[in-house]
Amino acid sequence: MLRERLIQLVMLLVAGAALTGAAMISRPIKSQRVELKLLTVTSDESIAKNPRTVLLQVAPGGLRAPMLSYLWMRSQQLKEDGKFFDAQQLRDLICDLSPHFPGVWAFHAWDMAWNISVATHTPEERWMWVSNGIRLLRDRGLYYNPDNLVLHKELAWIFFSKMGQRTDDMHMTYKRRWAGEMHRVLGAPPFSDSPDTAVEAIRLIVNAPYTLAKLNADAASADFVKRLAGCDVKPDDEFLNYYNLYSGAPLASPPKWLVKEPTDDKDKKIANLMQAEELSDARAKVLAFVRRKVLVEKYRMNPDWMLELMKLYGPMDWRNVNSHAIYWSTLGLHKAEGKGLSGINALNTGRTLLGGLKSLTRTGLVYCTYNPDNPEEPFVDFLPDCRFVEATHREYLKCGRILVKKPSGKPGRLDSSKNMLRDGHITFLSNAIQQMYFGGWEKMARYYYDQIRDEDVLNAKGDIYKRDLHGFIREKRRQSGVPTTEMSSALLTAALRRAYRALAGGNHDDYLRSRALARRVHREYRKSVAGKPRLKPPPFRKIERNFLGIMLVRPRAMGLEVPLITKANLYNALSPTMQQEIYPLVAERLRRQCQAERIDFNTAFPAPAKKN
């Protein structure tokens, strides 16, 4: 009996010593967790927003490790059995148990976006799992690990590779869905030949008030918010929906002929608020406030960073998924700067940035057409945008300097074999030169051709760069065979652009040559991907018809300034068959343009003869 009492006493003393020791080291452990960024939110904030997460981190105690192991195995088994929602519930629990371990978030987001999505079959299911992966990283993983480069890299990679490239046979669903979301929030960029106009549109959002109290400090804005409240509408997502529906704003609203007139008293009052001319200034301020609010609270995006990127790289259209790949990759590099960047993660994030910029040169101009059958998924055309060539060229030079930097701190030669991006840089400029040349930007093409020829390293590339520009273009076309998907699209669009500019100007020979080139590029590429349905482009006639529709209705989307009289010349130069196909697509908008310029529509754009 005495022996048992002694053992109990010793155990109590050991337990007391252990508790005392734990108390003594808890403070330095907590300090280290803060120092190492393992605690990224205050305790009060964490408890208020995520009480379940806080409880799960405390309650399991020493059982956390075996519990996590079990949950991992069980979630994997459920996934393999096709029980994806059950697996997701367990994975949410895993993330809550390990919120400060970035690898947990990265793996589960990657698994949803890349593995589970392709195990489903409908476009809606595919998009649901891809967007789930985005939200897991953006809304939760980065909340606990805001400076972590790996999470930013993974998020950027979903936008760039999963959504922006063509590896998934439903990639256009992702592009259209994202374009629809961003169009609802931001609308289209303003029509202008100057990139500064698009930048200033984002600056309005940057300068908008942060809080409703600050918005109401302006008397006109406060009155407008009060009027909204009288219609039971809040200055949030709900306001955006009504604004897009009833305002008639050409950059945000569907075509008027698709908008149903409001029927009940409430909708009539709201429509009046969205259209009243005397309320335009207050409405614009509330709109900027709401757009900022939605970007920050729903999409976790910083408008200030968006503005900085547009000033640095150019007029990025945020309806393009590549713009978001650039956003998250640059934000990750910025936040991780000076915090022990991992070489491979930094390099891969930089590659995603370069890939996004290169893709913008081929798809940067976005043309959204309202889809009455599914407003959340508009029809989208992506056209080349040569305004991003210089930004991509500069970024390649910047990365090249970093890669070949010598221990002395002085940069090495840009043509150094240590520059792993050198060949990609040369290939990009070679493709961009062809794109600009066929698109009619010969002066710009010549400038970048001279940039390549200035590099001594190209002496080892053969005689092709010793030719003049025309000889270089001929040889590249002979050597290249079938270009890549994006390059084929860029060359085809550039050739059509040159062809129809020539036709509008009366140069029929140049029109025939350029159109023949576009047909050849399309034929070669279509043949090369005959066994890959997801890569197969639409028929050439459909591409040509869509291109002409954009050129006649919104030429600035292709970087062109086309006066109405030139549009009339182009339309009248088309074949009767093409006129019959294109007329229903463009007639209404061209009629309004003719009315604005007091031109007789029926004379400028006569209706084509009916098909027999």
Side-chain angles (χ1 to χ4, degrees):
M1 186 70 177
L2 179 61
R3 182 172 175 274
E4 292 177 356
R5 291 291 185 185
L6 286 173
I7 292 174
Q8 290 175 352
L9 181 61
V10 169
M11 291 298 102
L12 284 172
L13 290 173
V14 170
L19 289 172
T20 303
M24 291 175 63
I25 65 173
S26 64
R27 187 178 297 275
I29 289 176
K30 185 175 181 180
S31 299
Q32 283 189 322
R33 293 182 73 190
V34 173
E35 181 181 344
L36 295 174
K37 303 295 183 182
L38 295 178
L39 288 176
T40 54
V41 292
T42 66
S43 298
D44 291 342
E45 182 183 0
S46 183
I47 292 170
K49 291 187 175 181
N50 304 280
R52 176 172 177 266
T53 300
V54 174
L55 180 62
L56 285 171
Q57 291 182 72
V58 174
L63 297 176
R64 184 182 302 176
M67 181 185 295
L68 282 170
S69 297
Y70 169 77
L71 291 174
W72 273 97
M73 292 186 290
R74 180 60 179 156
S75 68
Q76 284 296 103
Q77 185 60 53
L78 288 170
K79 189 193 82 169
E80 292 175 8
D81 293 342
K83 299 177 180 178
F84 302 133
F85 291 100
D86 293 336
Q88 185 180 4
Q89 288 182 342
L90 292 186
R91 290 176 171 193
D92 285 343
L93 188 57
I94 292 171
C95 291
D96 287 338
L97 284 165
S98 311
H100 299 294
F101 288 89
V104 173
W105 302 100
F107 174 80
H108 290 319
W110 169 81
D111 204 27
M112 283 192 286
W114 294 89
N115 294 337
I116 296 178
S117 69
V118 297
T120 60
H121 306 289
T122 67
E124 292 76 17
E125 288 177 305
R126 288 277 187 96
W127 171 241
M128 178 189 69
W129 287 108
V130 171
S131 58
N132 281 350
I134 290 173
R135 287 194 294 270
L136 184 69
L137 287 171
R138 183 193 66 200
D139 301 351
R140 298 181 62 200
L142 286 173
Y143 171 76
Y144 289 104
N145 309 275
D147 298 338
N148 185 265
L149 180 60
V150 172
L151 296 186
H152 285 88
K153 173 180 72 71
E154 291 296 332
L155 184 53
W157 188 246
I158 293 177
F159 278 107
F160 171 68
S161 184
K162 181 67 177 180
M163 297 167 65
Q165 303 302 300
R166 297 168 183 259
T167 54
D168 191 309
D169 56 359
M170 292 190 186
H171 66 95
M172 281 306 300
T173 293
Y174 311 146
K175 292 179 175 71
R176 288 193 290 261
R177 285 278 182 165
W178 191 256
E181 285 195 30
M182 287 294 107
H183 188 85
R184 189 184 71 86
V185 178
L186 297 174
F191 300 144
S192 175
D193 295 326
S194 170
D196 293 340
T197 309
V199 174
E200 291 306 311
I202 295 296
R203 195 187 300 277
L204 291 176
I205 298 173
V206 170
N207 294 335
Y210 287 74
T211 64
L212 185 60
K214 291 185 177 181
L215 176 68
N216 285 332
D218 176 75
S221 300
D223 177 66
F224 191 86
V225 170
K226 186 176 180 181
R227 289 169 183 256
L228 286 174
C231 299
D232 197 26
V233 176
K234 297 178 181 178
D236 53 17
D237 254 346
E238 188 179 19
F239 168 83
L240 273 182
N241 293 334
Y242 282 119
Y243 176 83
N244 293 339
L245 183 62
Y246 291 132
S247 71
L251 302 181
S253 304
K256 288 184 178 180
W257 56 274
L258 282 172
V259 178
K260 295 180 180 179
E261 291 296 323
T263 53
D264 58 35
D265 290 341
K266 176 184 175 180
D267 276 16
K268 288 179 180 178
K269 290 179 180 179
I270 295 172
N272 181 61
L273 285 176
M274 300 303 165
Q275 297 170 9
E277 183 64 29
E278 67 274 13
L279 300 174
S280 60
D281 289 343
R283 186 168 56 243
K285 292 177 181 178
V286 174
L287 175 64
F289 166 80
V290 172
R291 283 175 166 170
R292 181 185 182 92
K293 177 182 176 67
V294 173
L295 282 172
V296 171
E297 296 181 1
K298 182 175 181 179
Y299 293 97
R300 303 295 193 269
M301 295 183 71
N302 183 345
D304 297 85
W305 191 252
M306 295 167 66
L307 178 63
E308 290 303 312
L309 290 179
M310 294 179 74
K311 291 192 293 186
L312 179 61
Y313 295 128
M316 297 160 64
D317 190 328
W318 296 99
R319 298 173 299 173
N320 191 312
V321 294
N322 290 293
S323 297
H324 294 265
I326 293 169
Y327 176 91
W328 292 108
S329 58
T330 54
L331 186 64
L333 290 168
H334 172 71
K335 289 197 169 191
E337 188 175 1
K339 298 176 182 177
L341 281 175
S342 170
I344 189 64
N345 285 324
L347 179 61
N348 286 337
T349 308
R351 288 183 184 276
T352 302
L353 165 59
L354 283 171
L357 284 171
K358 287 194 292 185
S359 290
L360 286 184
T361 66
R362 299 162 189 159
T363 67
L365 291 171
V366 182
Y367 184 67
C368 281
T369 307
Y370 189 76
N371 181 359
D373 296 325
N374 187 358
E376 294 182 354
E377 193 172 319
F379 304 116
V380 184
D381 288 294
F382 298 96
L383 303 169
D385 193 343
C386 289
R387 293 176 296 179
F388 291 98
V389 172
E390 178 61 22
T392 311
H393 175 55
R394 289 199 313 266
E395 196 64 31
Y396 261 118
L397 292 176
K398 174 185 173 183
C399 292
R401 290 190 183 97
I402 294 172
L403 286 172
V404 301
K405 196 170 184 179
K406 295 180 178 178
S408 62
K410 296 180 180 179
R413 291 172 58 84
L414 292 181
D415 58 10
S416 167
S417 60
K418 295 180 181 179
N419 182 356
M420 293 180 289
L421 302 177
R422 182 192 64 187
D423 289 344
H425 189 180
I426 295 168
T427 300
F428 163 72
L429 284 180
S430 296
N431 290 338
I433 289 164
Q434 296 175 70
Q435 178 181 324
M436 290 181 282
Y437 181 87
F438 291 124
W441 290 294
E442 188 172 322
K443 183 178 179 181
M444 191 183 298
R446 193 176 302 280
Y447 168 79
Y448 287 104
Y449 186 50
D450 290 341
Q451 295 290 306
I452 291 182
R453 298 174 82 190
D454 280 347
E455 298 293 342
D456 294 338
V457 69
L458 297 178
N459 289 332
K461 295 285 183 178
D463 293 334
I464 184 171
Y465 294 101
K466 297 178 182 178
R467 303 165 186 254
D468 64 11
L469 177 61
H470 304 294
F472 167 78
I473 294 293
R474 287 194 298 270
E475 183 62 17
K476 286 297 290 184
R477 290 297 304 134
R478 188 189 70 79
Q479 290 181 0
S480 63
V482 180
T484 62
T485 301
E486 278 195 348
M487 190 59 195
S488 293
S489 177
L491 287 177
L492 192 154
T493 303
L496 285 177
R497 184 179 183 277
R498 182 165 184 160
Y500 283 102
R501 286 184 71 186
L503 185 62
N507 189 341
H508 199 70
D509 290 340
D510 194 19
Y511 159 73
L512 292 175
R513 282 194 299 270
S514 299
R515 186 173 184 271
L517 171 64
R519 288 186 65 89
R520 185 166 69 250
V521 170
H522 179 268
R523 183 172 58 251
E524 291 172 353
Y525 181 70
R526 192 176 175 90
K527 183 179 178 181
S528 73
V529 297
K532 302 174 182 177
R534 72 174 183 274
L535 299 179
K536 191 174 181 181
F540 179 77
R541 189 72 174 181
K542 183 177 180 180
I543 294 174
E544 187 176 33
R545 184 182 65 230
N546 290 344
F547 177 90
L548 278 168
I550 298 171
M551 188 169 182
L552 287 169
V553 171
R554 190 184 167 193
R556 285 175 176 172
M558 296 183 294
L560 292 172
E561 186 67 38
V562 184
L564 192 57
I565 189 65
T566 305
K567 294 180 183 179
N569 291 339
L570 174 59
Y571 171 80
N572 287 287
L574 298 175
S575 67
T577 303
M578 182 57 79
Q579 285 185 349
Q580 290 169 351
E581 293 182 26
I582 205 71
Y583 188 82
L585 303 177
V586 302
E588 184 61 32
R589 294 191 182 185
L590 289 176
R591 188 188 305 276
R592 292 201 297 269
Q593 292 178 24
C594 286
Q595 290 173 348
E597 297 190 24
R598 297 183 180 180
I599 294 176
D600 182 66
F601 169 75
N602 293 321
T603 302
F605 301 94
K610 294 183 179 180
K611 297 180 180 180
N612 296 328

